[in-house]
Amino acid sequence: MDRRDFIKKASIAAAGAAIVSPVAAMVNKVTGKKCKVLMINGSPRTDGNTFCCLQEIETTLQKHGIDTEIVQIGRKPVRMCINCGGCRQNNGKGCVFDDDLCNVIIEKMSTADALIVGTPVYYGQPNGGVLSLMQRLFYSAGRLVQNKPAAALAVCRRGGATATLQTMNMMFEMMNMPVITSQYWNIAYGAGKGEVKLDTEGMQTMRTLGNNMAFILQKIHADGDVAPQRDERPQFMNFIR
């Protein structure tokens, strides 16, 4: 074998090794399973700008050995929570309304280690459907999200994104969910389909968010202790007695 053939075969072998070399999986020490982040696309458009942002985060998470799943809210109606209390008598099966996406998300959340929700901005607010979905998820199955890291992202043409993020983050804060930040607010800009990819800072913000989520998950699951111990029960008080 001459020198040229040797170099050629060595290069092919090295390339093959690089292709098959797997990313080390990030494992939940409690369940023994690979860490997974559930991602909700709160846009009715399956492959629009919100999806592009989630996909950017997904690629980053997978580089850290984390499983991901993007669930699209779609265009079918999503019921709002009517505060009926039926979920309290539903044997832990979630919301009593079983004709939309809510209970599907609840089941997926039971095996997820973190949550990321993306939404377009409508009149300075999240999509109404994703708001209804999140409120019912947290009310009927709040036990499944406790202490799991969460992040929201907002996509807008021009304005209203910060108010949208605040609305989403307030829900996470009430559920003891560590809120994952980035190098800037989790915002990206775009109007036409796929236009958000031209927002280079926005895309970098999404990648940084993915890296930060991976970092926090690694720290949380390093010792297998995923929840702080609390010695107080929640106390509810109205200002007027």
Side-chain angles (χ1 to χ4, degrees):
M1 180 186 302
D2 62 22
R3 182 173 179 271
R4 182 177 297 176
D5 288 336
F6 174 82
I7 293 174
K8 183 178 179 180
K9 290 185 177 181
S11 299
I12 293 172
I19 292 171
V20 300
S21 178
V23 176
M26 190 179 295
V27 176
N28 182 325
K29 295 293 182 65
V30 175
T31 64
K33 297 180 180 179
K34 193 174 179 181
C35 284
K36 179 178 179 180
V37 177
L38 177 63
M39 311 173 77
I40 298 176
N41 178 4
S43 171
R45 297 178 179 176
T46 57
D47 56 352
N49 288 322
T50 305
F51 175 76
C52 291
C53 290
L54 291 171
Q55 199 172 43
E56 194 77 8
I57 300 170
E58 179 180 53
T59 300
T60 302
L61 290 171
Q62 290 175 352
K63 289 179 180 178
H64 289 278
I66 298 172
D67 276 344
T68 58
E69 180 179 7
I70 299 178
V71 180
Q72 208 260 334
I73 195 171
R75 298 187 175 185
K76 295 182 180 179
V78 178
R79 289 179 179 267
M80 67 178 184
C81 180
I82 62 171
N83 194 25
C84 67
C87 52
R88 301 292 188 263
Q89 291 84 41
N90 202 22
N91 297 320
K93 295 181 180 179
C95 184
V96 293
F97 294 128
D98 200 23
D99 55 355
D100 60 18
L101 193 63
C102 184
N103 285 333
V104 174
I105 295 296
I106 288 174
E107 183 177 356
K108 292 180 182 297
M109 196 66 226
S110 67
T111 58
D113 298 285
L115 176 67
I116 297 176
V117 184
T119 178
V121 175
Y122 292 169
Y123 296 96
Q125 303 166 76
N127 178 349
V130 78
L131 264 183
S132 294
L133 174 67
M134 300 309 297
Q135 289 170 357
R136 284 170 57 210
L137 163 65
F138 290 160
Y139 189 72
S140 63
R143 69 194 185 283
L144 299 179
V145 302
Q146 293 286 326
N147 304 301
K148 294 180 179 180
L153 66 95
V155 180
C156 66
R157 182 192 68 83
R158 186 171 179 83
T162 52
T164 296
L165 278 179
Q166 181 181 356
T167 300
M168 299 298 295
N169 285 339
M170 287 173 71
M171 291 190 283
F172 300 148
E173 291 172 5
M174 288 185 68
M175 304 307 294
N176 291 303
M177 303 177 79
V179 177
I180 306 302
T181 59
S182 186
Q183 65 192 46
Y184 191 74
W185 295 303
N186 302 335
I187 296 169
Y189 294 89
K193 181 179 177 180
E195 193 174 78
V196 75
K197 293 181 180 180
L198 301 176
D199 179 6
T200 55
E201 182 178 355
M203 291 295 97
Q204 186 180 57
T205 298
M206 298 305 141
R207 293 191 295 273
T208 302
L209 171 59
N211 285 324
N212 289 347
M213 175 66 83
F215 175 79
I216 295 299
L217 281 175
Q218 184 180 43
K219 296 300 182 183
I220 288 175
H221 295 292
D223 300 321
D225 187 10
V226 298
Q229 298 299 314
R230 298 186 177 90
D231 55 4
E232 291 188 60
R233 294 177 60 85
Q235 297 184 37
F236 302 98
M237 177 183 174
N238 298 328
F239 287 104
I240 300 175
R241 290 287 186 176

